[in-house]
Amino acid sequence: MKRKVLLIYTGGTIGMEKDYETGSLHPFDFGNIFKKIPEMKLIECEVALHPFKKPLDSSDMGPKEWKIIANYIGKNYDEYDGFLILHGTDTMSYTASALSFMLKNLRKPVILTGSQLPIGDLRTDAKENLLTSLYYASLYENNEAVIQEVAVYFEYKLLRGNRTLKYSAEFFDAYQTPNYPVLGQSGVHLNVERDFLWRPLPDSVFHVDDHIDQDVLFWRIFPGMQLDHFTEIPKVKVLVLQVFGSGTIFNTEKTKKTLKMLRQNGTQIVVISQCVSGGISFGKYSNSNIFAEIGAISGYDITAESAITKSMHLMGNPKYEGNFEDNFSQNLCGEMTLALKN
Ligand code: ASP
């Protein structure tokens, strides 16, 4: 049976071509994609195109576009077997993370991909990324989708979307999931690591919850950071605080005072690590004790991209019972490992 895939083109290098006379990049008419990559027709699936009217560099993608994409997938969920989103690489991990929280109980693949070189370039990586993504987006067994989550496919690897980070602006192999195994690899055969795939709860029903509250701030601490600059404590709902190693921060009175004032202002503090591999473990060193004292929330091994979008999604979300802290501490869709070893 021919599976139906909805391809949403948002922008980025993958939809660009190079003018070899001037050397500049410009977007091509996406309706011509089948001419650019005629091999698309050889894949056993039917592809419907939905290009954004104005393709966006992914640095212009944000909550507004995440909601548009989530709701568009929601509207077309029954009609298509899989969804493929072509996206600029710079913020793809944010969009993948946000969508993973918005698309509840997915039972169909939502794959994001892009490229480091434009489609018209001789050495482009766009072709392989697009073609293999289509395979994964239409992969079914016994009438059930093999991938039932938001994933990123890039340079021969299928990765959990909300675990990805863009770690290279240079190499084709641009994404990693340092805290989660690869979900699939494309070599001579298209392989899937079944044990690592996410599955929704059996009786749960797919729906879209596009709640986003942008009142979230992100701080990365550094040795010698002058907290004295914060004479006025920001009134922000969530502060994602990126600290050292497994959860340490300079042990000064000023630090304690600043963090305590933030908490008194009602700010939730989510603590994540500057290390890309491993994560937070409160209590391991005394320099993390302040976090337990002020009631900060551990982000365990979550990425910054996921911590930010998860905070946006959960803060003030009427569909979640209970408090922000308890909800953030749940592993909602494979974004964090709760029991990290000390
Ligand atoms: N600046 C581009 C973007 O993220 C880079 C890319 O597509 O790879 O939209």
Side-chain angles (χ1 to χ4, degrees), residues 12-13 57-58 88-90 115:
T13 302
D57 186 278
S58 75
T89 55
D90 292 343
S115 69

mmCIF file of all heavy atoms in Angstrom, residues 12-13 57-58 88-90 115, ligand 1:
data_model
loop_
_atom_site.group_PDB
_atom_site.id
_atom_site.type_symbol
_atom_site.label_atom_id
_atom_site.label_comp_id
_atom_site.label_asym_id
_atom_site.label_seq_id
_atom_site.Cartn_x
_atom_site.Cartn_y
_atom_site.Cartn_z
ATOM 1 N N GLY A 12 15.112 27.555 4.889
ATOM 2 C CA GLY A 12 16.465 27.067 5.192
ATOM 3 C C GLY A 12 17.222 26.689 3.942
ATOM 4 O O GLY A 12 16.681 26.684 2.826
ATOM 5 N N THR A 13 18.472 26.315 4.149
ATOM 6 C CA THR A 13 19.390 26.010 3.043
ATOM 7 C C THR A 13 18.863 24.942 2.105
ATOM 8 O O THR A 13 19.121 24.964 0.903
ATOM 9 C CB THR A 13 20.744 25.546 3.638
ATOM 10 O OG1 THR A 13 21.222 26.588 4.469
ATOM 11 C CG2 THR A 13 21.771 25.265 2.570
ATOM 12 N N ASP A 57 14.358 31.767 7.113
ATOM 13 C CA ASP A 57 15.592 31.311 7.733
ATOM 14 C C ASP A 57 15.156 30.825 9.119
ATOM 15 O O ASP A 57 14.292 31.436 9.758
ATOM 16 C CB ASP A 57 16.563 32.487 7.866
ATOM 17 C CG ASP A 57 17.911 32.041 8.370
ATOM 18 O OD1 ASP A 57 18.070 31.872 9.594
ATOM 19 O OD2 ASP A 57 18.816 31.840 7.542
ATOM 20 N N SER A 58 15.744 29.747 9.589
ATOM 21 C CA SER A 58 15.181 29.190 10.822
ATOM 22 C C SER A 58 15.417 30.079 12.032
ATOM 23 O O SER A 58 14.790 29.886 13.066
ATOM 24 C CB SER A 58 15.687 27.771 11.062
ATOM 25 O OG SER A 58 17.008 27.781 11.507
ATOM 26 N N GLY A 88 15.351 24.959 8.294
ATOM 27 C CA GLY A 88 16.735 25.419 8.432
ATOM 28 C C GLY A 88 17.386 24.705 9.603
ATOM 29 O O GLY A 88 16.704 24.315 10.560
ATOM 30 N N THR A 89 18.687 24.544 9.514
ATOM 31 C CA THR A 89 19.333 23.726 10.544
ATOM 32 C C THR A 89 19.553 24.469 11.866
ATOM 33 O O THR A 89 19.641 23.840 12.912
ATOM 34 C CB THR A 89 20.698 23.213 10.046
ATOM 35 O OG1 THR A 89 21.485 24.334 9.632
ATOM 36 C CG2 THR A 89 20.540 22.243 8.902
ATOM 37 N N ASP A 90 19.629 25.810 11.805
ATOM 38 C CA ASP A 90 20.053 26.541 13.006
ATOM 39 C C ASP A 90 19.134 26.334 14.208
ATOM 40 O O ASP A 90 19.612 26.213 15.339
ATOM 41 C CB ASP A 90 20.174 28.048 12.699
ATOM 42 C CG ASP A 90 21.321 28.322 11.740
ATOM 43 O OD1 ASP A 90 22.180 27.436 11.586
ATOM 44 O OD2 ASP A 90 21.347 29.412 11.141
ATOM 45 N N SER A 115 19.560 20.728 5.447
ATOM 46 C CA SER A 115 20.857 20.379 4.861
ATOM 47 C C SER A 115 21.867 21.468 5.168
ATOM 48 O O SER A 115 21.506 22.608 5.463
ATOM 49 C CB SER A 115 20.725 20.170 3.358
ATOM 50 O OG SER A 115 20.466 21.407 2.727
HETATM 51 N N1 ASP B 1 20.608 29.791 8.420
HETATM 52 C C1 ASP B 1 20.031 28.609 7.856
HETATM 53 C C2 ASP B 1 18.776 28.278 8.646
HETATM 54 O O1 ASP B 1 18.859 27.763 9.722
HETATM 55 C C3 ASP B 1 21.011 27.483 7.882
HETATM 56 C C4 ASP B 1 20.500 26.184 7.309
HETATM 57 O O2 ASP B 1 19.437 26.055 6.773
HETATM 58 O O3 ASP B 1 21.251 25.229 7.414
HETATM 59 O O4 ASP B 1 17.705 28.569 8.168
#
